[in-house]
Amino acid sequence: MRLSHWNVYHFSLPLLHPFTTHQGSLQEREGIIVEGVSEDGQSGWGECVAFSTPFYTEETVDTAWFMLNDLLLSKISSDDPSNISHVFSQYQGHPMAKAAIEMAIWDLKAKQGNHPLYHYVGGIRDQISTGVVISLKENWKEKVDKYKEQGYQRYKLKINKENAYEHLNTFRTFYPDLPLMIDGNGAYQPDEMAAILALDDFKLLMIEQPFRAGDFYWHAQLQKKMKTSICLDESIKSYEDGKQAYFMRSGKSINIKIGRVGGWREALSLHQFLYEKKISLWVGGMVETGISKAHSLALASLPGFMIPGDLSPSDRFWDRDFVYPSIQINQGKISLPNKPGIGFEVDREFVEKQSIRKNKIKLMG
């Protein structure tokens, strides 16, 4: 399949409610939408999920904009995997920029073959169980009661390490049996291990990324002592990272995000390896629009993803999403559309309206 051109949109979309972690509060979401257009006029869509500042990883919207527009997209004129691999190999890092390209290519390839994306990647389910993230400054009691009514099947608290034990103790008083996990966001230091071990009291599903990204050793030391599963998030940026985590026994669970690991090929390789090794898997979220969410839902349809992921509906974050119909939840599950590609239509007019800047990259024949 040959490509005619790429369209790139740097957007800003206001959140319905601030999204708060110990690292700060997000009032609006900036990101990048990538559209690959084939010679026959068909479009494939991807999303770069980097944030405006490097609080999550070192990648940002501005670095990704540079990578996409100045270095990567002009060299990718087809869906040839060997060419894409060659282009990507010339530049270290920048997995979120690379992932946006692969998302668009894979959406387009699935459409060209008239396959829903989740079929194309080998998915086995057309309904995805959902989890929800509860931010620090929310009225969590009111929110949890609402989410329970909607049928969410897993709950994740964004906690502050200074009051983690007290917060969880209060939470468990109201909800002793709720499927609950917490996200450390790399805030703990190795000398605070005793404070983390104390959280075994609360029968958590897992503790996500307590130590800094890339610290496989201390996560392994913690997992040796802890009954609760340790889950890695920011540490896993590639297939090789996933292998290292497994061989070092750094945790019993891994969160896979297409953007964080560099695209569909890395995500699928990670899934296959870790599924065979019986590591618990789930799909994480990035406060993303429906374009990236649609790709994440397709990923979650694979057999290894048995834990409900951060895959909430459109109205969790947005008054109006970039896709239609909007992504909706029904009794704790999201149904995957049986249409070619990501299965949702992209509201191009709204994408353009929310764009801060845009660029068209024409490709040579």
Side-chain angles (χ1 to χ4, degrees):
M1 175 189 63
R2 301 287 306 175
L3 295 176
S4 164
H5 63 277
W6 292 93
N7 292 319
V8 194
Y9 305 91
H10 172 189
F11 71 86
S12 178
L13 199 58
L15 289 159
L16 278 175
H17 310 284
F19 185 80
T20 304
T21 73
H22 79 280
Q23 295 155 312
S25 185
L26 198 65
Q27 306 285 339
E28 61 181 356
R29 180 63 157 110
E30 287 189 56
I32 299 172
I33 300 299
V34 171
E35 178 192 15
V37 183
S38 66
E39 289 183 332
D40 62 4
Q42 204 160 31
S43 291
W45 296 87
E47 180 175 344
C48 175
V49 293
F51 290 98
S52 304
T53 61
F55 74 88
Y56 176 69
T57 70
E58 64 276 12
E59 211 166 350
T60 68
V61 171
D62 285 337
T63 64
W65 182 264
F66 167 72
M67 290 299 299
L68 290 164
N69 289 280
D70 289 34
L71 297 178
L72 294 173
L73 289 174
S74 62
K75 299 178 181 179
I76 297 177
S77 58
S78 76
D79 63 349
D80 178 9
S82 61
N83 178 61
I84 296 172
S85 295
H86 174 70
V87 173
F88 284 2
S89 69
Q90 295 177 51
Y91 306 104
Q92 298 296 315
H94 303 279
M96 294 178 184
K98 294 172 180 176
I101 297 171
E102 279 205 352
M103 286 184 195
I105 291 287
W106 285 57
D107 179 29
L108 194 50
K109 285 164 72 78
K111 287 173 178 171
Q112 296 265 326
N114 202 33
H115 301 297
L117 182 59
Y118 76 96
H119 282 175
Y120 183 76
V121 300
I124 63 167
R125 58 182 73 92
D126 60 6
Q127 287 192 318
I128 307 302
S129 298
T130 57
V132 68
V133 182
I134 303 166
S135 194
L136 284 170
K137 294 186 178 180
E138 291 181 310
N139 181 336
W140 56 266
K141 180 68 170 61
E142 178 183 319
K143 295 285 187 180
V144 171
D145 289 342
K146 173 187 172 184
Y147 296 144
K148 285 182 66 181
E149 289 179 7
Q150 294 175 317
Y152 283 99
Q153 298 180 31
R154 190 230 66 207
Y155 298 78
K156 178 166 76 172
L157 289 180
K158 294 277 190 178
I159 61 162
N160 190 313
K161 68 178 183 179
E162 278 74 25
N163 60 12
Y165 194 95
E166 292 77 11
H167 195 151
L168 284 168
N169 195 45
T170 302
F171 191 98
R172 278 305 195 202
T173 300
F174 290 97
Y175 306 105
D177 301 314
L178 204 67
L180 180 67
M181 60 177 286
I182 62 170
D183 189 351
N185 281 128
Y188 287 91
Q189 300 298 320
D191 62 6
E192 296 172 307
M193 193 176 293
I196 309 173
L197 290 170
L199 304 182
D200 263 340
D201 291 348
F202 300 109
K203 298 179 182 178
L204 301 171
L205 290 174
M206 69 189 81
I207 299 175
E208 186 179 5
Q209 196 71 42
F211 299 130
R212 66 179 179 84
D215 202 337
F216 297 103
Y217 173 80
W218 282 112
H219 283 105
Q221 299 309 302
L222 177 61
Q223 187 65 89
K224 285 179 184 178
K225 301 176 181 180
M226 194 158 204
K227 296 177 183 177
T228 305
S229 293
I230 301 302
C231 173
L232 297 184
D233 176 11
E234 292 96 325
S235 290
I236 310 299
K237 297 180 183 179
S238 68
Y239 171 68
E240 293 300 326
D241 286 342
K243 286 175 64 177
Q244 183 171 186
Y246 170 75
F247 287 118
M248 290 189 69
R249 303 295 189 265
S250 298
K252 297 177 182 177
S253 177
I254 286 181
N255 157 358
I256 298 180
K257 299 174 182 175
I258 300 173
R260 196 193 63 236
V261 304
W264 267 109
R265 288 173 300 171
E266 290 285 301
L268 292 174
S269 296
L270 266 169
H271 165 267
Q272 189 61 33
F273 175 80
L274 295 169
Y275 179 45
E276 291 174 357
K277 302 299 183 184
K278 304 187 185 313
I279 298 295
S280 297
L281 299 175
W282 57 284
V283 177
M286 290 288 290
V287 194
E288 64 227 301
T289 79
I291 294 174
S292 178
K293 185 70 64 67
H295 284 273
S296 295
L297 288 165
L299 179 65
S301 73
L302 291 164
F305 294 102
M306 300 302 293
I307 300 171
D310 294 338
L311 299 170
S312 49
S314 295
D315 62 7
R316 170 77 172 93
F317 294 123
W318 320 114
D319 179 54
R320 179 178 174 184
D321 204 345
F322 284 152
V323 299
Y324 63 91
S326 62
I327 298 171
Q328 297 182 6
I329 186 173
N330 182 23
Q331 296 183 331
K333 294 187 176 183
I334 295 173
S335 294
L336 296 178
N338 203 30
K339 297 178 180 179
I342 59 174
F344 299 88
E345 298 297 325
V346 175
D347 189 341
R348 182 190 303 276
E349 180 180 346
F350 188 50
V351 171
E352 296 204 3
K353 179 182 177 182
Q354 297 301 127
S355 291
I356 299 167
R357 50 182 168 171
K358 55 186 177 180
N359 189 29
K360 180 175 182 177
I361 299 171
K362 295 182 179 180
L363 302 170
M364 302 294 291

